[in-house]
Amino acid sequence: MSGSAITPWVVGNWKMNPMQADAQKLIQELKQRLADQHISKERCRIGIAPISIALLSVQQQLADASVEVMTVAQDVSRIAGTGAYTGEVSANLLKDSQIDYVLIGHSERREIFADNAQVVAEKVKNALAAGLHIIYCVGESLEQREKGQAEVVVLQQICDIAAVVNADQWHNITVAYEPIWAIGTGKTASPEDAQNMHAKIREGLSQITPAGARMAILYGGSVKPENAVELAACPDINGALVGGASLNAESFYQIAHAFAQTK
Ligand code: 13P
């Protein structure tokens, strides 16, 4: 199956934003936009990853949206279950609150919060065991790219989790390629560079699992309405993980619309 037969995902990663009143307004505007001009979930799956304390209220506000909008946690504890782990939220507790999706391995977690390969693998293992769907983030730094190591770094990040994913769990993983140098910088990987890396990721995944041919591989890093159509036209780019532009309902909608129309 070619990568372009995969239903695209467009997920807004709100990171440590916004204030409550702005979040409510943003959701209202997005719901209104989706009501005005529908995007069916067969054409594009839409998700929002708010701050952890807003997960349930966002989920509630999205419940009456005209199309399903997934509520996605931005992170999860590496500890499973319940217990004396101050400040942590486990995969089981997310699932218990009907939060079914989680980002793992975002470069900001890896770089600022020391989520190394082992920690990331523990999070993946627990999230899958709890029945969550994971958006697993990978990506190289500018230094690694300039040294010609981008592919090796990204494929290693895939390999880092391979040992903890059972053969029947790969369909619960979506990969997001986010070159670190493109995050929040306004610099997007060129569609050619992004497509090349996505093709490598698909090849790597396909060597590990037959599910690799069908897995969505999202691109992240300064995605905006102006570049979404070009990115969406690439066969192995099956959606976007959107930071800054997801804080504006119209921009986020336009990105989802671009993927829904182009794929
Ligand atoms: P920007 O879209 O702000 O570059 O952020 C990308 C990102 O990190 C999404 O997870």
Side-chain angles (χ1 to χ4, degrees), residues 17-37:
N17 299 290
M19 293 296 178
Q20 238 182 104
D22 292 331
Q24 280 174 13
K25 188 162 166 272
L26 186 46
I27 291 174
Q28 281 314 318
E29 287 172 358
L30 180 63
K31 284 200 304 191
Q32 187 59 52
R33 201 64 182 81
L34 287 167
D36 291 346
Q37 208 180 340

Side-chain angles (χ1 to χ4, degrees), residues 13 15 103 106 108 178 182-185 220-223 241-245:
N13 176 8
K15 307 192 178 182
L103 302 181
H106 193 282
E108 287 150 17
E178 300 202 302
I183 295 178
T185 58
S222 299
V223 178
L241 185 55
V242 187

Side-chain angles (χ1 to χ4, degrees), residues 10 28 35 41 48 57 64 99 101 134-135 141 150 157 165 178 187 194 199 222 225 232 234 250 256:
V10 171
Q28 281 314 318
K41 75 176 205 187
I48 286 177
S57 70
D64 64 352
I99 301 297
Y101 304 89
I134 296 168
I135 299 174
S141 67
Q157 288 169 336
V165 182
E178 300 202 302
K187 286 185 207 155
S222 299
C234 300
E250 183 59 23

